[in-house]
Amino acid sequence: MLLLFTHLLLSLLLDTTKSQSSICRTSCANISIKYPFSIDDGCGSPYYRHILSCSDSEKKLELRTPSGRYEVRNISYADPHIVVTDPFMWKCEDGENFRPTRPFSLDTSTKLKLSTQNEYMFFNCSEKHVIIQPKPMFCEHFPEHCDSSCESASYLCRHLPGCSFSLTSSSCCSYYPKASESLRLMLKYCTSYASVYWRDVGFPQPYDQVPEYGIRVDFDIPVTTHCLQCQDTMKGGGTCGFDTVTQSFMCLCKDGNSTTHCKDQEIAQHNRKVHVIAGTVTAFSAAGAIGIGAGIWYLKKLRATAPVTCGVQTNDNRLF
């Protein structure tokens, strides 16, 4: 029994150490997860808390928004943006069958915004509510309404990306909503939509971009002195995170947590304190260790006073 208690105590203590060093997963679905994002609470920046979700099998990464969850195809940190796919938008396979859809939206309290490299195709819009005109001609005559018109002679509508056909019995126009609210209003008067973003391929202009289906969402990377010090390899190379209760900055290190960096002497003090960081079992482990310690002390006391019965359990020496 004493060996069992000791084994449980060591297991809990090892779990506590492990929770500090491997708390923040760095990938999901073969997509790199770096600051400011995270898929574990307490990691990354609090501005993007609970934004990304990784499936239990880690084969699917999703972006959470007020309009739903959208699979993430790519995250770029050099040119900060996320590319997601909307399962409700029109695809080439649909042909001229337009399924019911819903508008994509973003949480305005986050540092996410629709990219200016997105372009949207809207199908079968009501001409009573949507201005559908060839843009050059319309803008020449009505420059004050140019931004609100939907381009009926756009390149995308005439050359549907990735499709081997052109629309014959359905109308199409191209428009860039400056906000997700504009997208919602457009879909109120149009049957469906498809989002295309212009992906940089590194070729000389005018062949430097190609259209691809998807929604590009741009994001900001909050740069702070605290985070730069934490990530500095000369100072221990920690992981930027935050306290899940106060949301104040926390540097996550292999040996514990610090409010500055991993080589700060303050980390020794944090190791002796209980911090609720990113789903760790620190508090549980500390409580478990105390409880197990008390159990071992009580067990030793019983052994010292209990009668020796050669393994026969009686009412005098019964433990449970």
Side-chain angles (χ1 to χ4, degrees), residues 129-177:
H129 301 92
V130 179
I131 302 173
I132 305 174
Q133 293 287 339
K135 207 156 192 176
M137 184 185 303
F138 180 80
C139 291
E140 183 179 345
H141 290 86
F142 305 98
E144 68 278 10
H145 299 295
C146 184
D147 289 341
S148 60
S149 66
C150 195
E151 169 68 271
S152 60
S154 74
Y155 172 85
L156 291 177
C157 285
R158 289 183 289 109
H159 305 86
L160 297 172
C163 300
S164 58
F165 61 91
S166 59
L167 298 176
T168 55
S169 60
S170 302
S171 65
C172 171
C173 64
S174 179
Y175 174 67
Y176 166 66

Side-chain angles (χ1 to χ4, degrees), residues 39-112:
I39 50 178
D40 298 294
D41 195 17
C43 303
S45 169
Y47 288 113
Y48 298 103
R49 189 178 188 182
H50 304 314
I51 286 293
L52 296 179
S53 173
C54 186
S55 64
D56 293 336
S57 61
E58 297 193 355
K59 293 182 178 180
K60 188 176 183 181
L61 181 65
E62 292 180 315
L63 175 70
R64 289 190 180 115
T65 79
S67 57
R69 294 189 176 200
Y70 301 88
E71 186 172 359
V72 176
R73 284 170 41 190
N74 179 49
I75 300 179
S76 171
Y77 298 92
D79 175 21
H81 70 271
I82 306 172
V83 176
V84 300
T85 56
D86 182 356
F88 294 98
M89 74 181 187
W90 179 86
K91 301 179 179 65
C92 289
E93 306 90 80
D94 297 331
E96 299 200 34
N97 299 315
F98 299 100
R99 298 173 287 110
T101 186
R102 66 185 184 194
F104 175 84
S105 65
L106 292 172
D107 186 351
T108 55
S109 66
T110 65
K111 294 182 178 293
L112 300 174

Side-chain angles (χ1 to χ4, degrees), residues 303 306-314 316-317:
R303 285 192 171 185
V308 179
T309 56
C310 298
V312 179
Q313 196 173 60
T314 68
D316 295 327
N317 69 349

Side-chain angles (χ1 to χ4, degrees), residues 16-18 51-52 62 73 138 160 172 197 200 204 225 241 258 275 300 315-316:
T16 302
T17 303
K18 181 180 179 182
I51 286 293
L52 296 179
E62 292 180 315
R73 284 170 41 190
F138 180 80
L160 297 172
C172 171
Y197 74 101
D200 292 321
T225 303
S258 171
H275 273 275
K300 287 183 177 179
N315 288 331
D316 295 327

